[in-house]
Amino acid sequence: MKLDWTRNETLVAVVILGFCVLAALSDPGFLSVATLTDLLRNGIVLGVFAVGVFVVLVSGGIDVSFTAVAAFTMYVTAMTLNALMPWMPWWGALAVGMAVGGLLGAINGVLIAGFGLPTLIVTLGTLSVFRGFMLTFIGQKQITTLPPGMREFGRMMLLRGENADGSFYSLHAAFVVTVLVVVLTWFILNRTMLGRAIYAIGGSVESARRIGINVRGVQFFVYVYVGVLAGLAGTIHASMARVANPFDLVGLELSVIAAVVLGGARLAGGYGTLTGTVLGVALIVLVRNSLIVLGIPSTFQSIAIGCLILIGTGLPAWQARRAAARAA
Amino acid sequence: MTAPLVTLDGVTKTYAGITALDGVGFSIAAGEAVCLAGENGSGKSTLIKILAGVERPDRGTIAFSGAVQGALTPRVSTDAGIKVIFQDFSLFPNLSVAENIAMTAEMGAGARLVRHGRIRDTARLTLDRIGVDIPLDAAVETLSVAHKQLVAIARALATDAKLIIMDEPTTTLTEREVRSLLAIIRLLKADGVAVLFVSHKLAEVLEVCEHVVVLRNGAKVAEGPADQFDAASLTLHMTGRAVGETPPAPLPPGAPVLLQVEALAKPGVFDDVTFALRAGEVLGVAGLLGSGRTALAKALFGLVAPEAGTIRLDGRPVPLGDPIAAAAAGIGYVPEDRLTEGLFLTQSIARNIAIGRLDAHARGGGVLDLSALWGETRDWLKRLAVKAPDPEAAVRSLSGGNQQRVVLARWMARGPRVLVLNGPSVGVDVGSKAEIHGIIADLAAQGLGVIVISDDLPELMATCHRILVMKGGRMVEDLPGGSVTTDGLAHRLAS
Amino acid sequence: MTDNSPLARLMTSPEGRLAVIAVAVFALMSVLSPDRFLSLQNMTSMAFQFPEFAILALAMTVTMLTGGIDLSVVGIANMTAIIAAMIMTRLTGAGDGTAVMLLALAASLALGMLAGLFNGLLVANLGLPPILATLGSGLIFTGIAIALTGGSAVMGLPPAMAWIGNSTILGIPTPLILFAVLAGALSLLLTRTAFGLKVQMYGANPLAARFAAIDITGMLIRVYVLSGALAAIAGMVVMSRANSAKADYGSSYLLLAVLIAVLGGVNPYGGYGRIIGVVLAVLAMQFLSSGLNMIGVSNFARELIWGALLIFVMIVNTWRPFARRT
């Protein structure tokens, strides 16, 4: 198969490969199951967030409130389950988290699809509202005793083992959830008319309206869906960390958007693939966790990610500009 | 005799006191092609919206196959088989050809899941029906304009179209593409599908039409079999009067050469363009779309970078591909698409003129001499007789003719040597058109060189000393004004 | 409906509505907590608090007028402050260090403009969408700040440095004076100079600006350089008030700056925005958060109320039943 260098996916995949080759050269221990499980573990929450952001970007919108939705959800879910439904099994806890997230997403949906307000401004506002509401009216203290369902989920491992040096490695079961989210989202986007309508709206809202797509309905779905995924990610995060800290997660939003954009999704909407998004997440996780292997101090992390964003989006922008100049 | 497919009777629509449509009535039979001609603002788009069910008429009735309809909605219209192909085609650039064609049909069938096989079959069948071959998996953004139009037609057919309304179907097509479009229209008609062409220039499609309806200022002013109309009579009906075809007074023989263009070339767009423009001369450039005339106009102003050739103004070379250098050298450009390229719609009338003179009125530290700037602006509003109650009002509140004068004033205030006017009277009413022609004559009288690019052949005849004919990116003829008639010119363009 | 009362006319512009909101909030807080809210002490402490993020909002406003955005302002503020702090801690000997401070401040301003130039080149010459260009460059600037300090605070600034953020001139807090001067200068720049009008016109229609032979590249570069300079000034105020510089100071200010600009009526898609609106938005928010503080509402409620206010104002500005048709 011929490599298509104009695609971000190719570019990101090559950078990942190059990174791994260099890392393996400078530290042969890099190529180990332990490194892999470690990276996969770090990609679980980021991956779920990224899939949600990707869907919004495809529809031509943007969401910066998802981290606040996640933090709000994990806190409220842990608190509610502790107080009212301690018997709830792990899957029930995840379901409650998704429901709470979906509800918050619906608020974004109403403001964006119903009132027709700009997506960046609305989600910027709800980011403050959700976070402020939680910290003011619900609580600011960490919940260190999670409900049994979340504790149970936090202990679930897909595999564990022992390294040659006697240290342990493990892969959390939540990784399966992330994989399922990717598969389900792929199915929605590529195999349902709803998904094609999301791409269509991202391509041209006006055309979508003219051929009779229910634009508001689709937008509403998108923001609820992001909310559900953010709620899920928040609940997973708390379960894995074994604590619900209301100050966690917020501040991560730009990194997630960066991962998705690196993967080839365009802010203008309509373009991008889940493959690209997954690769973008992989690259960000790699840089965040393994820069040190290349002999670069971890304090250079954000410089590296910043450069990747500029190169990853600058190259296509520059090519497009040159093509436009040639075409008159 | 069966009832016609669509019958309009006494359709009237007013917006905020302005009558957009006034008692318009005509009918379209199955398998018939009808031309609906009219200038911008004549009520064509309102009529399309009413037929599409987007707008409701205030009065009048619409009948489908003889049955008078109540309130039309987009749903009722599409179910009745009325499909509008808008000028921008309303396609999804990011989706494949097959999806674009079949999406509406699939949604209509209530599909929830993507059925790839059906989508491809539908696309294949409809494309076969109009006898064209476009790769089904190509993204629509990669297609040529003509192919996009065919995809839009195929999409309409895929949902069982009985009447296809085409808004300005030929404006962005080359001559060859128009021919193949006409062939497809004949196929559709033979299939029993009716077509309504809506445009301000329909001479190109007259040959496939049975019937012509002309609108002016919201009212039907002419109707009849297509063979009773030609380009000249259509223009006459649309504008309401014969535009004088007397060319301007000849140039004095000693007029110096102002602008010298030599061997200007941009591969694939235009090639070996050489001409001279003298002081006080109005030079017309005629050519169909795709002839390279708009690219040439933009190249003169630096918006398009030619790869070879020179432009000299007063003997001094003008840097290529740099609008700022072109403007500094004394070349001005009034764009074709006033609303997106010419005006800052939300900004004030005064600012829209002042934008060209900001640097001239900047004193130390870039601080503007505001009283001088606004004084000059008001002066230009007066000189060009812009009917603007308040220079601080947003420019979008003006009529088309006044808006065009604002753009002209912006450039005239800079005291240019050469003005390039692309479609100077597109979308302005008849009265303003004559006044804009008067402004062009005044500019030439002041010793400026003016280049007019226009589709409106009578306009070229009325304003230009000389007309250059462009075809396939080359200057093929150099006609002195008055040496040809409008029809003669039309033939030379199309042959 | 021809209601021509002064209030009704005031309510037709976004700035007018904001002025009403600001006055209403002030009045409400004065009534709820008369002796504390209206006290000189509270007024002074408010005047010390808001200039640092208000200056960042001014930077955001300039870029938003062109339809862009500058997500790197906080990164620039911290990077320039850290470098200024490092210069000062390395060079300060005896005395209050005024000379060293001036050198460091000049260096940080120059660096801020250089960072802005980098953004400008990315946006104007490379054609990157501003949101991505400044997201990337912001990470780089923050990254430089972290790499230089290892993430810890730079302390031990000369005593003179405290002056910018903590002193008063004729009883008026210096940061407030700085903000007032910057806002006034920016307002003049935007309404009275060729550059300012070009910025607004470009924001209204970039394509028409190109067809009107405006030097778009030069203008955009200057816009981002200006934004970088303002960010560096905000960084100095933060550094002076905290008496230290750190890579993660003011991390909540980024979204706050965007929020203030939009609340102030600046159109995030470009072409409209007035400095007076931004000033009123800052005041309304500061009155609200100080007042709420007085009556015992937690700090976090401010965030909630800011967000709610932003959404409320957006609904009022854009939703049909409210927006008057002209």
Side-chain angles (χ1 to χ4, degrees), chain C residues 59-312:
Chain C
M60 199 62 77
T61 302
V62 182
T63 50
M64 273 192 180
L65 280 174
T66 64
I69 195 166
D70 190 346
L71 297 180
S72 71
V73 283
V74 173
I76 294 179
N78 286 323
M79 176 182 71
T80 54
I82 280 173
I83 289 186
M86 292 177 98
I87 292 176
M88 284 185 279
T89 49
R90 294 280 190 291
L91 296 184
T92 306
D96 69 353
T98 307
V100 173
M101 180 188 82
L102 290 178
L103 173 76
L105 294 190
S108 86
L109 193 63
L111 191 66
M113 292 170 80
L114 199 67
L117 177 68
F118 181 64
N119 284 333
L121 291 172
L122 290 175
V123 172
N125 291 57
L126 222 54
L128 270 176
I131 192 168
L132 295 179
T134 56
L135 171 64
S137 71
L139 281 169
I140 293 177
F141 301 144
T142 305
I144 292 174
I146 296 173
L148 284 174
T149 59
S152 50
V154 181
M155 294 196 276
L157 304 180
M161 192 57 221
W163 176 79
I164 297 180
N166 304 304
S167 67
T168 59
I169 296 174
L170 299 175
I172 304 167
T174 312
L176 179 65
I177 295 176
L178 187 62
F179 171 67
V181 168
L182 288 173
L186 200 58
S187 181
L188 288 179
L189 183 71
L190 290 175
T191 56
R192 296 291 168 84
T193 67
F195 168 74
L197 287 188
K198 284 179 194 170
V199 166
Q200 296 183 48
M201 302 287 273
Y202 172 82
N205 186 348
L207 192 60
R210 183 166 144 77
F211 278 76
I214 289 185
D215 178 11
I216 294 170
T217 313
M219 184 220 50
L220 279 179
I221 286 178
R222 272 177 249 174
V223 161
Y224 284 90
V225 167
L226 179 60
S227 173
L230 287 167
I233 295 173
M236 294 178 219
V237 178
V238 173
M239 169 169 63
S240 172
R241 279 170 42 78
N243 196 26
S244 61
K246 193 162 178 262
D248 64 355
Y249 277 163
S251 48
S252 67
Y253 284 174
L254 176 57
L255 295 185
L256 186 60
V258 177
L259 208 141
I260 292 174
V262 175
L263 191 60
V266 180
N267 182 345
Y269 303 111
Y272 183 81
R274 293 174 63 189
I275 297 299
I276 181 71
V278 178
V279 172
L280 287 168
V282 167
L283 291 179
M285 287 176 90
Q286 185 62 47
F287 294 154
L288 200 57
S289 48
S290 286
L292 291 171
N293 244 349
M294 310 257 125
I295 54 177
V297 179
S298 91
N299 263 340
F300 301 112
R302 292 198 298 191
E303 225 179 310
L304 166 65
I305 287 165
W306 288 343
L309 191 63
L310 174 70
I311 291 171
F312 172 74

Side-chain angles (χ1 to χ4, degrees), chain B residues 442-461:
Chain B
D442 287 347
L443 287 170
Q446 290 161 26
L448 266 75
V450 182
I451 297 175
V452 178
I453 293 118
S454 180
D455 286 329
D456 187 345
L457 302 183
E459 173 167 273
L460 291 177
M461 310 297 292

